[in-house]
Amino acid sequence: MDSAQLIVTMLGLGLMGFVGWFFFLAPHQVAAAVSSGSGIQEVAITVKGGYSPNVVEVRQGQPVQLNFYRDEDNSCSEELLLPDFNIRRELAPFQTTSIEFLPQQAGTFIFTCGMGILRGQVVVR
Amino acid sequence: MKATYSAVSASSHSHPAPAAGPPASSGGITRTEVLQIEGMTCASCSNFVQRALTRTPGVTQATVNLASEKATVEFDPARIDSAGLKAAVEQAGYAVHDAVAPVTPGLLASDDELAARKAAAYQQLKRRFQVAVGLALVIMPLSMLMLWPALMSRISMPVLNYVLLLLTVPVLLYSGREFYVSAWNGLRHRTASMDTLIAVGTGAAFLYSLATTVVPDFFRQRGLVPEVYYDTTATIIALILLGKVLESRAKAQTSAAIKALIGLQAKTARLIRNGQEVDVPLEQVRPGDEVLVRPGEKVATDGIILAGHSALDESMLTGESLPVEKTAGDPVFGATLNKTGSFRFRVSKVGTDTMLARIVKLVEEAQGSRAPIQRLADQVSAVFVPVVMLVAIATFVVWFDVAAPAQRLPLALVNFVAVLIIACPCALGLATPTAIMVGTGKGAEYGVLIRNAEALEKAYRVNTVLLDKTGTITRGEPGVMDYVPAATAPADTLARLAALERQSEHPLAEAVVRYADEQRADRLEATGFQAHEGRGAAATVAGSEVLIGNRRLLTEQRVALPPELEQAAEELLRQARTVLYAAIDGQAVALLGVADTVRETSREAIRHLQAEGIEVVIMTGDNQQTAAAVAAQVGITRFFADVLPEGKAGKVKELQAEGRTVAMVGDGINDAPALAQADVGLAIGSGTDVAMEAAGITLMRSDLRGVVTAIDLSRQTIRTIRQNLFFAFLYNVLGIPLAAGVLYPFTGWLLSPMIAAGAMALSSVSVLTNSLRLRAFRPE
């Protein structure tokens, strides 16, 4: 193994470690819902190549309104799925789409894009 | 989808309906209104608008949401109105977008704006694809010039490379821009999508080519040929965009059913106000209004017929192809089509309460639900992209380490790119939901409403169907099955009996009248009608005393039964018929055997289910004899008789204990526990009056063939999903190692990144197309 191979191998392994950490282990952006005057827990989520924040904390038993602002027209994010609440909604580009549901049970519920690649979680406490 | 207005307690927007506006009051009652604000770009803008609104006299509270561009304002309607609020916002330097959203809360909105934006996005995608193809068609032949050495000797290699670079840059920056932007945005959220793979793959090929173009000597000094991969870069982008164009066309068709349903609703209604006919937009129609419907017109909304009669085509809601006769007192439903007569009806439901809206909601929810079958695919897609990136890096390292020094960098690079490009998480993600969407939409078309994907999946595995007898197999109304006249009976016996029974309102009497009408018996007049409570009735017809009722009535009236009728009665009783005895002037003249009639379609449906290997079992509250008779009529061997309503769920359990997957078919009201206990509950409704939320699957008409349709549809849908998942998994499982070059040591095969791009573009389209095949589903 010459030096170039050694360098490439080391760099490659390092990069693999970084990729693994970056996607699987690094902490996620968490946001807690803010209750409006009318008792609805609102969270604004920006959709741009992913969801930010992608972990949303809400309280059990109170209606939740997730306001998805889709800041792109990339077709990957055109649909939003919240399967545990039977929700499939199209998000209009550069617009806010509100999604409402009532979390009756505590737990973690996934929301994803139409193809299940972009992901976020609603954590009901 | 437009922003909804759920947080509004008494929203008025710019309400055009005179009837709906609450009366202005000053007794401290506040009203809440939502304003759509335009022009806010940052948090300070929204704070500014909020302050401006709060300081406006009459406003008690205002909150402005930047993300949704909405201001929720609570105000005293006596001191300020919508126009005043609008003025306050405009004074602050922002615009108020007049609410174009439907004003009746929850009226079905076909979102034209969303459709327009989608159309624009599609046009743009197509343009980007066209540019990519146009340039790739130039870049490809130019890159192949080296195949003709004679030509190459006249062209300077560096110049050619710069020309190629110049041609490739627009493909990257215009056509492929979305991939890079999206990948970058994703990385900021620690998310990787298909775009990330394409961006990294094409980016690596491009950057390497850029380096060999700009500093070729650096490579030559290290014994490498400074090759460029502009053709690879451009072709990959063009092919992926082709895939996206095809995919977006196909995807639009998966939700076509919902759009078609929403498109069914009427736009206007002809109200009768103060004796005048006025056409008003549907949004202004309120419960209690009176609506006139002429032949050929669409019924505007749900209601009850006040006067007139007609035949209505309800196929769009129930799948029933024959028009349904309706008259005063009958319910009519929005979106159905009036065929023959005119009628007036009183509106009972509008907006989201209507049958159409409930169907749409049910289908929408089903399409948003998750099928258990996709769990594995879900788990895989969650980690798919990062894992592919790890595989790609490993591929690069291994090739670099094992290939010959002069070849190792290009081989490592090409295989690295091929792995990234061939991987297709989309096919995996699209496999299940697209089939569910097409399947549930198709069901709605035939009056089979599937509540969620899980119900569909369970229906697939059903091997036993348990039918609740009354109202499903039979009509639930008695019919005359046998007419046995005595030898001495006068020719017009049936006509005389019908004349008497016409005066009665007993269901058995109606059955006799119906039978007589079917037999085209003459119509006679009856006088002196007299009901014998619980036994029968008597009257004078054509001058003679006519009597009809049960055995007790005959005995009481001292009418003897001749032996021939006695024998016939025994025979009828053995067949579980209810027997009616008739006498004229004290002489027994005829017997009528009455039974609940089996629907013509039931037998056909049951035969169909049995042919598909499904055992059909009947359950009924009737006695053993009746149950056996009905079972025999429809060709069923197993039945449960004398089942009490509370024992129905137990029978379901009994079948399940035999290891069967049971579908229970019932009316959804009396047998809710049994429907819930079954693996799949099918609620069958008469007309459109059905408890839709009671069961996994709702059949919109009382026709057992709906059960066949539901099971066939579920079988086809799940089969499609399995094919899709199999294909998507196989594609990735074979494609990725192939692209990584695992076959190279044995066969010398390497996958060109361009072929990888073509495969990837076609893979998700294949899955979509396979799902769309379900649109051809027809009930047998």
Side-chain angles (χ1 to χ4, degrees):
Chain A
M1 195 176 265
D2 61 26
S3 59
Q5 284 171 320
L6 210 60
I7 292 168
V8 164
T9 308
M10 296 307 288
L11 276 178
L13 290 176
L15 200 57
M16 285 172 76
F18 175 74
V19 167
W21 169 82
F22 185 83
F23 290 111
F24 297 131
L25 301 174
H28 285 269
Q29 209 181 344
V30 182
V34 180
S35 282
S36 68
S38 46
I40 296 174
Q41 313 183 68
E42 289 192 50
V43 187
I45 298 172
T46 305
V47 184
K48 194 173 185 182
Y51 303 106
S52 90
N54 59 10
V55 179
V56 171
E57 288 181 354
V58 298
R59 273 187 310 281
Q60 185 183 346
Q62 259 183 49
V64 175
Q65 183 177 345
L66 302 181
N67 297 313
F68 286 89
Y69 177 67
R70 185 168 162 224
D71 196 12
E72 62 183 357
D73 55 7
N74 177 1
S75 61
C76 275
S77 60
E78 71 185 0
E79 273 184 314
L80 185 97
L81 262 70
L82 189 52
D84 296 299
F85 297 92
N86 288 346
I87 291 170
R88 168 186 296 271
R89 203 65 70 74
E90 281 192 43
L91 306 179
F94 307 110
Q95 285 217 325
T96 301
T97 307
S98 296
I99 286 171
E100 284 128 31
F101 58 93
L102 182 64
Q104 308 266 31
Q105 288 171 353
T108 299
F109 306 99
I110 302 276
F111 58 88
T112 71
C113 69
M115 301 176 191
I117 294 157
L118 311 179
R119 276 164 183 261
Q121 296 174 352
V122 177
V123 180
V124 181
R125 292 188 194 281
Chain B
M1 196 90 212
K2 242 167 241 119
T4 51
Y5 297 84
S6 67
V8 185
S9 53
S11 78
S12 72
H13 307 291
S14 41
H15 218 306
S25 63
S26 53
I29 297 170
T30 56
R31 228 162 74 193
T32 311
E33 186 156 330
V34 174
L35 305 175
Q36 193 84 39
I37 315 273
E38 271 178 31
M40 296 188 298
T41 52
C42 58
S44 65
C45 301
S46 57
N47 287 338
F48 187 67
V49 174
Q50 186 163 326
R51 262 204 312 279
L53 279 169
T54 316
R55 285 179 189 161
T56 308
V59 173
T60 44
Q61 205 189 347
T63 41
V64 179
N65 185 328
L66 173 64
S68 60
E69 301 185 303
K70 279 191 291 189
T72 310
V73 192
E74 208 179 295
F75 62 98
D76 180 356
R79 294 176 64 197
I80 193 164
D81 58 4
S82 310
L85 295 175
K86 192 174 168 185
V89 175
E90 281 167 356
Q91 224 167 26
Y94 298 89
V96 174
H97 190 64
D98 281 323
V100 286
V103 283
T104 305
L107 191 78
L108 292 171
S110 63
D111 211 320
D112 295 338
E113 197 185 333
L114 177 61
R117 279 171 189 268
K118 280 190 79 174
Y122 177 68
Q123 284 310 322
Q124 215 199 330
L125 178 65
K126 245 168 75 178
R127 250 197 317 279
R128 285 170 35 216
F129 165 63
Q130 284 157 356
V131 169
V133 168
L135 289 169
L137 284 177
V138 181
I139 294 166
M140 282 283 268
L142 283 182
S143 309
M144 290 174 187
L145 286 183
M146 68 274 277
L147 296 178
W148 291 276
L151 208 60
M152 275 310 283
S153 59
R154 294 191 213 157
I155 297 172
S156 145
M157 196 67 192
V159 171
L160 179 64
N161 284 349
Y162 274 105
V163 170
L164 286 171
L165 170 63
L166 220 61
L167 288 168
T168 308
V169 165
V171 179
L172 238 70
L173 295 188
Y174 175 72
S175 298
R177 184 172 169 274
E178 185 189 86
F179 302 130
Y180 306 104
V181 172
S182 167
W184 175 246
N185 288 329
L187 290 181
R188 286 170 50 203
H189 303 123
R190 299 184 188 276
T191 314
S193 65
M194 198 194 83
D195 290 336
T196 319
L197 299 177
I198 297 162
V200 173
T202 55
F206 179 77
L207 289 177
Y208 179 82
S209 310
L210 186 68
T212 53
T213 307
V214 179
V215 285
D217 292 340
F218 174 85
F219 291 87
R220 285 203 195 94
Q221 281 158 15
R222 281 156 185 80
L224 292 167
V225 183
E227 277 183 275
V228 293
Y229 295 98
Y230 294 120
D231 54 343
T232 306
T233 313
T235 311
I236 290 174
I237 291 176
L239 283 170
I240 304 276
L241 286 173
L242 170 69
K244 283 212 162 201
V245 168
L246 296 175
E247 186 183 303
S248 120
R249 279 210 337 222
K251 269 195 85 182
Q253 292 168 14
T254 58
S255 54
I258 279 277
K259 293 199 183 93
L261 276 174
I262 293 174
L264 282 176
Q265 65 183 341
K267 304 275 185 293
T268 61
R270 183 168 304 132
L271 292 191
I272 300 175
R273 272 191 192 145
N274 311 320
Q276 299 265 317
E277 294 175 18
V278 252
D279 280 337
V280 300
L282 188 60
E283 300 88 86
Q284 295 181 21
V285 177
R286 296 283 172 273
D289 285 348
E290 218 177 294
V291 178
L292 179 72
V293 188
R294 295 222 173 90
E297 286 180 345
K298 213 178 246 184
V299 178
T301 184
D302 295 8
I304 308 283
I305 297 185
L306 292 170
H309 59 88
S310 183
L312 285 108
D313 176 4
E314 295 190 333
S315 59
M316 53 295 281
L317 299 186
T318 64
E320 170 62 63
S321 50
L322 293 174
V324 186
E325 293 287 340
K326 302 229 169 177
T327 179
D330 287 339
V332 288
F333 299 97
T336 57
L337 198 64
N338 180 28
K339 304 287 269 193
T340 50
S342 294
F343 62 90
R344 281 184 297 125
F345 74 94
R346 168 117 31 235
V347 174
S348 60
K349 282 166 185 165
V350 293
T352 47
D353 297 332
T354 59
M355 185 62 64
L356 176 67
R358 286 168 62 201
I359 293 175
V360 168
K361 182 163 175 275
L362 205 76
V363 177
E364 268 180 354
E365 286 190 352
Q367 297 191 336
S369 66
R370 176 168 36 199
I373 194 172
Q374 82 189 88
R375 201 171 294 130
L376 178 63
D378 267 353
Q379 284 166 351
V380 172
S381 6
V383 298
F384 189 90
V385 177
V387 167
V388 168
M389 290 172 78
L390 294 176
V391 172
I393 299 169
T395 303
F396 187 95
V397 170
V398 170
W399 275 102
F400 196 89
D401 287 350
V402 300
Q407 281 296 308
R408 63 193 187 191
L409 191 55
L411 277 175
L413 181 75
V414 165
N415 292 317
F416 169 77
V417 174
V419 167
L420 290 174
I421 298 299
I422 202 162
C424 185
C426 295
L428 219 50
L430 290 170
T432 316
T434 51
I436 299 273
M437 285 178 81
V438 181
T440 50
K442 204 69 204 172
E445 202 177 301
Y446 293 111
V448 174
L449 299 182
I450 295 151
R451 198 160 159 67
N452 52 38
E454 203 179 332
L456 195 69
E457 202 178 318
K458 283 199 175 139
Y460 168 80
R461 286 197 295 267
V462 162
N463 54 21
T464 305
V465 170
L466 181 58
L467 302 172
D468 188 18
K469 196 207 82 182
T470 318
T472 54
I473 300 178
T474 59
R475 291 177 195 280
E477 59 178 30
V480 172
M481 311 302 284
D482 317 88
Y483 172 60
V484 188
T488 55
D492 63 347
T493 301
L494 190 58
R496 294 196 208 190
L497 296 178
L500 160 60
E501 293 289 51
R502 229 170 248 125
Q503 309 282 318
S504 168
E505 280 170 2
H506 196 277
L508 290 177
E510 283 172 24
V512 174
V513 173
R514 218 170 20 228
Y515 178 73
D517 288 345
E518 280 166 20
Q519 302 297 318
R520 299 179 189 281
D522 291 338
R523 273 187 170 250
L524 301 175
E525 284 303 313
T527 53
F529 175 80
Q530 193 193 351
H532 295 269
E533 191 67 41
R535 285 157 290 168
T540 311
V541 184
S544 44
E545 212 37 56
V546 181
L547 199 65
I548 187 164
N550 56 18
R551 189 71 185 257
R552 216 171 110 206
L553 183 69
L554 250 65
T555 318
E556 275 177 15
Q557 302 291 325
R558 301 182 204 298
V559 178
L561 213 54
E564 49 162 336
L565 289 186
E566 187 76 61
Q567 216 174 357
E570 266 170 40
E571 177 57 31
L572 288 176
L573 286 169
R574 199 166 325 136
Q575 289 174 33
R577 303 273 196 262
T578 302
V579 182
L580 288 176
Y581 300 82
I584 294 176
D585 291 332
Q587 293 285 318
V589 288
L591 296 178
L592 292 115
V594 181
D596 202 354
T597 46
V598 169
R599 288 170 202 276
E600 303 82 39
T601 53
S602 301
R603 206 167 309 152
E604 184 190 330
I606 289 166
R607 206 172 317 126
H608 222 111
L609 289 171
Q610 288 167 336
E612 287 178 17
I614 294 171
E615 176 158 13
V616 184
V617 181
I618 304 188
M619 164 164 77
T620 173
D622 292 343
N623 60 39
Q624 199 74 18
Q625 272 180 333
T626 313
V630 173
Q633 268 187 58
V634 294
I636 292 177
T637 48
R638 187 168 179 188
F639 58 88
F640 297 116
D642 299 314
V643 181
L644 297 173
E646 55 270 26
K648 289 181 179 178
K651 295 296 172 198
V652 175
K653 268 190 209 160
E654 209 176 303
L655 289 172
Q656 285 170 330
E658 294 171 17
R660 296 162 183 271
T661 306
V662 180
M664 160 83 198
V665 184
D667 64 9
I669 300 154
N670 301 317
D671 34 27
L675 288 176
Q677 172 65 38
D679 296 281
V680 198
L682 289 100
I684 194 162
S686 75
T688 23
D689 182 28
V690 56
M692 285 189 203
E693 287 75 19
I697 296 176
T698 301
L699 306 176
M700 295 296 286
R701 61 194 153 118
S702 301
D703 182 341
L704 275 188
R705 287 177 303 182
V707 178
V708 181
T709 307
I711 289 179
D712 284 353
L713 184 64
S714 77
R715 287 189 171 182
Q716 287 209 24
T717 308
I718 301 297
R719 210 172 297 142
T720 306
I721 292 174
R722 290 196 164 170
Q723 291 161 356
N724 284 349
L725 286 173
F726 177 76
F727 172 79
F729 274 110
L730 191 76
Y731 168 84
N732 283 301
V733 164
L734 292 183
I736 294 174
L738 191 67
V742 290
L743 289 183
Y744 186 78
F746 315 106
T747 59
W749 288 356
L750 282 179
L751 197 67
S752 146
M754 287 183 261
I755 292 177
M760 143 84 197
L762 291 179
S763 66
S764 46
V765 176
S766 311
V767 164
L768 266 166
T769 312
N770 195 35
S771 294
L772 286 176
R773 283 194 315 129
L774 281 171
R775 290 194 310 166
F777 175 84
R778 297 270 176 282
E780 289 185 41

